[in-house]
Amino acid sequence: MNAIPQNPKAQFYPTPPAIVERMVKKANFETAESFLEPSAGQGDIAEGILHEINRKRRYHGAGGVTIDCIELDPYLRQILQYNFSEERLSGQRRRYAELENISSRTYGQNAEMQHLRQEIDGLANLGNVHIIYDDFLSFHTHKHYDWIVMNPPFESGDLHLLHALEIQQEGGGIVCLLNAETIRNPCTNTRKLLLQKLESLEAEIEYIPDAFLHAERRTAVEVAMVTVSIPHPKHESAIFERLRQARQKTAESEKQADELTHTGYIDAAVEQFNFEVEGTLGLVREYEAMKPYILTRIGGKETSAILTLSLHGDRGNYAQTVNVNEYLRIVRLKYWRALFGNPQFTGMMTSNIREEYAGMVDRLRDYDFNRYNIDVIHREMMSRLTEGVQGTILALFDKLTAQHAWYPEMKQNIHYFNGWKTNKAHKIGKKAIIPTSGMFSSNSWNRETFDTSTAYKVLSDIEKALNYLDGGMTAEVDLMERLEQAEAEGRTRNIACKYFNVDLFKKGTTHIKFNNMRLVDRINIYAAQQKAWLPPNYGRVKYEDMQPEEQAVVDSFQGKDAYAEVMSHADYFLADIAGPALLTAAV
């Protein structure tokens, strides 16, 4: 593992390798599939779990094993992310190959090779490790963990272990390293409560003196390794009780929204996810409680039930004893897909960016659908959007001017002016024509109809690029609604959109007539500046203070009066198009 940071948190003591080995040997790795390491730090315990899995399952692989990590410190999370990254694994493999090619290796080089081999083998399943949350004490999940293996901060170890016991209340194991004083000296209410719970669960407590004397960060404190196995509770059926109560109550119906589009839609989506999961898990528990009463035969050792529960995922229906974690992966994916299909979440994205993120949705089934993870992804999306805004604007400019100029009809898109140091400058005018083949189906010649999805794909990217430039100054218009209305009316001319009106032609062209020339001026100014077609001091000095050759460019581009308008409203015409105000999304 990497070295600890230069200014670590006071309670960060990396778990020594010898202690990690003792801890992971306490867990049952033969059948365990899911692990959690709270307060993961650099991931020493997670790496120890990977090593043990590879040792125990050398010929069977890690399969569906998952190791979830939680770490509060942002700097340690960065180290943790690197330690389980392809980048680190690739570096180890390169170093191993370098040593392997040395014909006469020293003893130290051979030892390094052996160490590298162990690390490479241990990280063979690094894709099974996920960093899922920051503050363990506020962490709640529906996921079932076979084992929680943890080395929490010594000063609050009692709170962390109590929270781990709460998470495992439906059954599972815990191996926890504590300051021995937490157990030996129950001087606080939380320590007393922890001791009562450990005694009731018949926890195993092993005291280890001087465990950190030879650690990466040394301390002489004595530690206690607590191992506890929590049995799965037996759930009693409440079906008959509910049937009796049902006769006394008036049936109530709840309206379920098909789409998550109201105010606060993300919080509502998370609430709906939790409601669905909690209800479904209640159903699973109810089924397990009812199962002994609905067996296919009476008496004997029959275990098959007349009724079975089945999961339905991407692989179709498959009956089994319901695996809670597999169910959670399926329902998480459903909500992640709904979120990424919601225009409120992805509405600012152009089609290429949406397609890029659509490709990653399936991987999110391993991450809880909660506000923390949604916010992390949204920040990443906004960062990606910021990086691509300039290219999106310039691509639109090229599309509406020179990109298709070799087609005879599109030649009128080019509005030339004398650019700075070039005679090839051009700009967008009041009207632009672009090719749009495939908008009309081959059998629709008897009726003025077009494919709204194709039209939306063509026009929405243009509208989004203009949104970046407009900064929210124009009232919203639902583009798809306008297109659907026009299609229903059999109308293909003068369709009013947010920034322009469009005419759709069956010959394969779309005519765009802009209704906001200030916005067109802005995209022309931005593109011309980016392409160095305007003088370097454009927008910085008055027209009267320009050199004659600079004035000539301004005259050709827009004229003296229009330039004065730009100078008077520089905050609009010359503002940073990737600024935060233009990239704000409703989250």
Side-chain angles (χ1 to χ4, degrees), residues 371-386:
R371 187 69 197 225
Y372 171 82
N373 285 330
I374 294 171
D375 287 345
V376 168
I377 290 172
H378 182 259
R379 286 194 295 270
E380 292 176 355
M381 291 172 68
M382 287 298 99
S383 174
R384 173 70 180 85
L385 177 60
T386 302

Side-chain angles (χ1 to χ4, degrees), residues 150-287:
M150 58 194 296
N151 175 15
F154 282 177
E155 69 176 4
S156 56
D158 50 350
L159 295 175
H160 282 71
L161 184 49
L162 281 170
H163 190 54
L165 290 169
E166 181 183 354
I167 289 175
Q168 296 293 67
Q169 61 183 327
E170 289 296 323
I174 300 173
V175 181
C176 178
L177 213 61
L178 294 175
N179 185 334
E181 279 296 292
T182 303
I183 304 297
R184 294 190 188 278
N185 183 21
C187 57
T188 65
N189 289 336
T190 53
R191 287 187 179 185
K192 291 175 183 176
L193 176 61
L194 175 62
L195 201 59
Q196 291 174 3
K197 287 182 175 292
L198 294 179
E199 289 175 352
S200 66
L201 293 168
E202 299 180 351
E204 174 189 334
I205 302 175
E206 178 184 355
Y207 294 94
I208 310 173
D210 302 332
F212 284 76
L213 277 185
H214 303 288
E216 185 175 353
R217 189 170 180 222
R218 299 178 183 179
T219 178
V221 68
E222 182 184 25
V223 299
M225 185 165 64
V226 179
T227 305
V228 56
S229 181
I230 302 171
H232 294 276
K234 182 179 180 181
H235 297 283
E236 298 294 333
S237 174
I239 289 180
F240 294 110
E241 179 63 24
R242 289 203 299 268
L243 286 174
R244 285 191 294 269
Q245 293 179 358
R247 295 177 180 272
Q248 304 170 9
K249 293 183 177 181
T250 302
E252 295 181 356
S253 61
E254 295 183 357
K255 182 180 180 181
Q256 295 183 345
D258 293 330
E259 296 179 354
L260 309 170
T261 56
H262 52 281
T263 304
Y265 72 100
I266 287 184
D267 289 332
V270 172
E271 181 181 354
Q272 184 173 325
F273 166 80
N274 286 324
F275 177 82
E276 178 177 341
V277 169
E278 289 166 7
T280 303
L281 293 184
L283 171 64
V284 172
R285 290 191 289 267
E286 194 70 52
Y287 173 78

Side-chain angles (χ1 to χ4, degrees), residues 78 85 126 191 377 382 424:
Q78 291 181 6
S85 68
L126 57 85
R191 287 187 179 185
I377 290 172
M382 287 298 99
K424 295 181 180 179

